[in-house]
């Protein structure tokens, strides 16, 4: 993953997830913004954090981003056959810095 | 066509009999997981059944192990397109757990420790086609592959074989589980490439 993002995506020793920074590569093809810097509010527990701090599970049929506080699913990124399906329904809101 | 064309390297693995369309054969056993791996001790493990009328049954580890046990050899097909052939498991047929249960339900929703769910028609888990397995390759099923107990439904894509299984609810109408509510097929037959819903 780190070769896409240009910065190390830290791997947890305990469980097989990456930090949310690893979303920067695949989502740079979709958004002009860096979504990993966005502040996301979890729809399950209301916790508000940078997307980069969430836990990204990549060894799955689709990439799943989970809230580090409650484990709820925040985002699903499904790349299949030249299409990207992005499910953001786990966030109640995303706050994105624009210039 | 010549008998042996130059550059013929043997049959392409994906064309092997027993390998569904779009799948390739792997020798390793990739670990797929969309969340943290729950660590459940056998002493703490309980499997629960609930019918559509709300009646229930529970099996702790010892009672579960007293149910009929079967050895199963099965091919696994993951929707991410790998297949692993001839895997060896031991466990309890789902028939044994549902034996004598009074139900009109046609569907089942399986629940896992950690919150995962998957839905199946009852007809796909009865008749010797699905098991609650606790051994892989002659050893206790490790947590990364779903231990202490996972569901094994080898004729459907592997996301249906819920890891860390802890219960089943019998339901009159189909209700999508974790992946099925996130764009994956309600049924998941690899021979029909029922990948996406
Ligand atoms: Zn949360």
């Amino acid at each position: 993953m780190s070769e896409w993002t240009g910065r190390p995506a830290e791997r947890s020793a305990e469980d097989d997830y990456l930090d949310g920074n690893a979303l920067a590569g695949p989502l740079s093809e979709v958004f002009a913004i860096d979504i990993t810097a966005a502040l996301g509010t979890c729809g399950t527990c209301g916790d508000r954090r940078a997307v980069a701090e969430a836990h990204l599970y990549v060894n799955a049929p689709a990439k799943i981003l989970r809230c580090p506080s409650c484990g709820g699913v925040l985002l699903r990124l499904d790349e299949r056959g030249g299409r990207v399906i992005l499910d953001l329904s786990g966030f109640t809101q995303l706050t994105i810095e624009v210039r | 066509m010549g008998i042996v064309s130059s550059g013929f390297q043997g049959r392409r693995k994906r064309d092997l009999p027993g390998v569904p369309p779009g799948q390739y054969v792997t020798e390793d056993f990739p670990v797929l997981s969309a969340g943290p791996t729950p660590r459940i001790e056998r002493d703490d493990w309980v499997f629960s059944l609930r019918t559509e009328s709300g009646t229930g049954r529970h099996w702790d580890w010892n009672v579960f192990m007293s149910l009929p046990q079967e050895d199963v050899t099965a091919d696994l097909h993951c929707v991410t397109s790998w297949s692993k052939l001839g895997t060896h498991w031991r466990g309890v047929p789902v028939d044994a757990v549902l034996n004598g249960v009074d139900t009109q339900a046609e569907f089942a929703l399986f629940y896992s420790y950690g919150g995962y769910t998957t839905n199946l028609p009852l007809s796909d888990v009865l008749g010797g086609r699905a098991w609650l397995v606790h051994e892989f390759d002659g050893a206790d099923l490790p947590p990364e592959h779903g231990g202490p107990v996972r569901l094994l439904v080898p004729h459907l894509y592997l996301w249906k074989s819920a890891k860390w299984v802890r219960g089943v609810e019998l339901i009159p109408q189909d209700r999508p589980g974790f992946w099925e509510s996130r764009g994956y097929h309600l049924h998941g037959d690899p021979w029909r490439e029922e990948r996406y819903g």
Side-chain angles (χ1 to χ4, degrees), chain A residues 19-79:
Chain A
D19 69 50
N21 280 311
L23 277 175
L27 283 184
S28 66
E29 294 159 19
V30 182
F31 291 128
I33 52 132
D34 175 8
I35 195 158
T36 64
L39 279 180
T41 306
C42 172
T44 308
C45 75
D47 201 25
R48 188 162 178 261
R49 291 168 185 259
V51 169
E53 292 175 36
H55 296 169
L56 183 68
Y57 291 85
V58 296
N59 297 316
K63 293 181 174 69
I64 294 286
L65 189 75
R66 288 183 183 269
C67 172
S69 299
C70 74
V73 176
L74 297 171
L75 175 153
R76 167 175 60 101
L77 176 64
D78 205 334
E79 297 148 299

Side-chain angles (χ1 to χ4, degrees), chain B:
Chain B
M1 211 172 101
I3 295 170
V4 178
S5 61
S6 65
F8 183 75
Q9 305 266 318
R11 212 201 290 241
R12 279 163 71 231
K13 281 193 167 182
R14 67 175 63 223
D15 294 337
L16 286 170
V19 181
Q23 299 291 111
Y24 71 90
V25 174
T26 181
E27 299 301 322
D28 20 288
F29 195 169
V31 173
L32 269 74
S33 194
T37 299
R39 313 273 159 176
I40 311 297
E41 298 297 325
R42 290 178 162 188
D43 284 349
D44 299 327
W45 180 87
V46 176
F47 187 84
S48 303
L49 162 77
R50 199 169 60 169
T51 71
E52 74 275 23
S53 62
T55 58
R57 285 188 189 180
H58 304 277
W59 294 261
D60 67 12
W61 185 260
N62 290 329
V63 177
F64 175 71
M65 291 303 284
S66 71
L67 294 172
Q69 305 284 327
E70 290 181 5
D71 290 305
V72 183
T73 299
D75 300 339
L76 309 180
H77 308 295
C78 180
V79 71
T80 61
S81 80
W82 58 265
S83 290
K84 183 174 175 60
L85 307 182
T87 58
H88 300 288
W89 305 83
R90 182 171 177 78
V92 174
V94 173
D95 300 89
V97 168
L98 293 181
N99 187 27
V101 172
D102 182 24
T103 182
Q104 303 295 315
E106 290 182 21
F107 297 94
L109 189 64
F110 283 83
Y111 291 83
S112 297
Y113 290 95
Y116 185 79
T117 54
T118 191
N119 57 301
L120 294 127
L122 262 186
S123 58
D124 277 281
V125 295
L126 295 175
R129 300 213 289 168
W131 296 264
L132 298 168
V133 293
H134 53 83
E135 280 186 20
F136 172 69
D137 256 351
D140 291 350
L141 184 60
E144 65 268 27
H145 286 305
V149 180
R150 80 179 292 167
L151 182 64
L152 179 68
V153 195
H155 70 281
L156 299 178
Y157 282 124
L158 198 55
W159 89 76
K160 295 288 184 181
S161 295
K163 299 197 231 185
W164 318 297
V165 73
R166 68 172 178 85
V168 60
E169 185 185 355
L170 307 184
I171 49 179
Q173 263 145 26
D174 207 2
R175 198 194 312 158
F178 182 88
W179 286 116
E180 296 85 1
S181 64
R182 292 179 170 86
Y184 287 79
H185 201 279
L186 282 172
H187 185 232
D189 182 345
W191 296 96
R192 296 178 181 174
E193 290 201 77
E194 291 174 343
R195 296 172 193 273
Y196 308 120

Side-chain angles (χ1 to χ4, degrees), chain A residues 75-94:
Chain A
L75 175 153
R76 167 175 60 101
L77 176 64
D78 205 334
E79 297 148 299
R80 35 169 112 148
R83 287 197 303 172
V84 171
I85 298 166
L86 185 60
D87 171 1
L88 296 165
S89 59
F91 289 111
T92 48
Q93 70 170 42
L94 278 169

